[in-house]
Amino acid sequence: MAIDVSLRSATDDQVRTATRWSGGLWLAATVGMLCLERAMHATGGPGIIAFELAGSERRVTYILDSWGPKGVAAARASLRLDFGYMCTYGVFAALLAEGAERRLARRRSKVRLARWAQVACLAAVAADAREGVALLNILHGRDRQAHATRARRAALTKFGLLSAVLLYWAISHAPERHSGS
C-alpha cells in the first residue's frame, strides 16, 4: 500500500500555515542548539560547524583538545539532538520549496524545480545524518581521519543542497521581469 505524502491536494493557505509552523519549530530547535554552541565556545574552542568541517585528524584533535571535557560533552549533546533538528529544517526547507513552486507556477515561470528541491531536502538530511554518525564515531575514539573526512564530505553536501533549495526559494520571491515595449 503506497502512501501519498505529496502536497498536491493542500491549498496554498495550508502550505503557508504548515510552513509557518515548521519554521517556528525549526527556530525553537535552533535556540536550543545555540545554547550548546555557546557552551562549546565558552571553552575557548570553536563551534560545531568547525568540527563538522575539520576534515583531518590533526584539526579534529586540535578542536577536541581546545574543548576539553565540557566542550566535548556539549558537542556530544548537540550531535545527538541534531538527529531531531535535521528533521525540523528538512521539513521546513521542503515546504519552502513547495511554496516557491506554487509562486512560480502562478507566474507561469519556466523555472520549476520543486520535486528536485524536495529530493535535495531529503538528501541534505541524509547527508547530515551521515555526518552526525561520523562525528559521534570520532567522539567514541574511532578512526579520526576516516570519520573526519566522511563528516566533512557529508557536511559540504548538506550545505550545498540546502543552499540550492534556499536559492530556489529566493528566486521565487524575486520581482517578475517584464519585457518593455
Side-chain angles (χ1 to χ4, degrees):
M1 177 168 135
I3 298 173
D4 183 11
V5 293
S6 73
L7 297 168
R8 283 177 277 200
S9 61
T11 67
D12 288 353
D13 283 341
Q14 289 170 325
V15 170
R16 269 191 298 279
T17 299
T19 303
R20 287 181 183 126
W21 277 101
S22 67
L25 183 58
W26 167 77
L27 190 58
T30 298
V31 169
M33 297 295 277
L34 288 174
C35 291
L36 295 167
E37 183 77 9
R38 186 176 303 179
M40 285 175 258
H41 284 286
T43 66
I48 199 72
I49 292 176
F51 188 44
E52 293 172 357
L53 297 173
S56 71
E57 180 178 5
R58 182 183 61 78
R59 183 74 181 137
V60 161
T61 300
Y62 168 78
I63 291 169
L64 295 176
D65 289 347
S66 70
W67 278 342
K70 287 184 179 181
V72 169
R76 184 174 280 115
S78 176
L79 291 168
R80 288 180 177 153
L81 289 173
D82 192 39
F83 288 96
Y85 182 70
M86 63 185 71
C87 294
T88 66
Y89 76 69
V91 169
F92 182 45
L95 286 164
L96 289 174
E98 179 66 24
E101 178 76 1
R102 288 170 183 235
R103 265 186 301 289
L104 293 169
R106 283 191 300 273
R107 292 184 187 177
R108 302 198 192 307
S109 171
K110 291 181 179 147
V111 178
R112 304 293 290 282
L113 303 172
R115 298 297 166 246
W116 176 89
Q118 290 169 352
V119 169
C121 293
L122 181 61
V125 169
D128 198 0
R130 180 173 172 84
E131 167 201 304
V133 169
L135 295 173
L136 286 170
N137 278 324
I138 291 170
L139 295 179
H140 285 104
R142 298 189 182 105
D143 187 345
R144 286 183 177 179
Q145 182 59 51
H147 291 295
T149 301
R150 190 170 296 132
R152 179 180 172 83
R153 284 186 194 135
L156 291 172
T157 299
K158 167 188 72 177
F159 291 134
L161 290 168
L162 289 173
S163 295
V165 172
L166 292 176
L167 178 61
Y168 181 58
W169 175 81
I171 287 169
S172 77
H173 281 74
E176 285 187 77
R177 298 181 103 183
H178 298 285
S179 57
S181 334

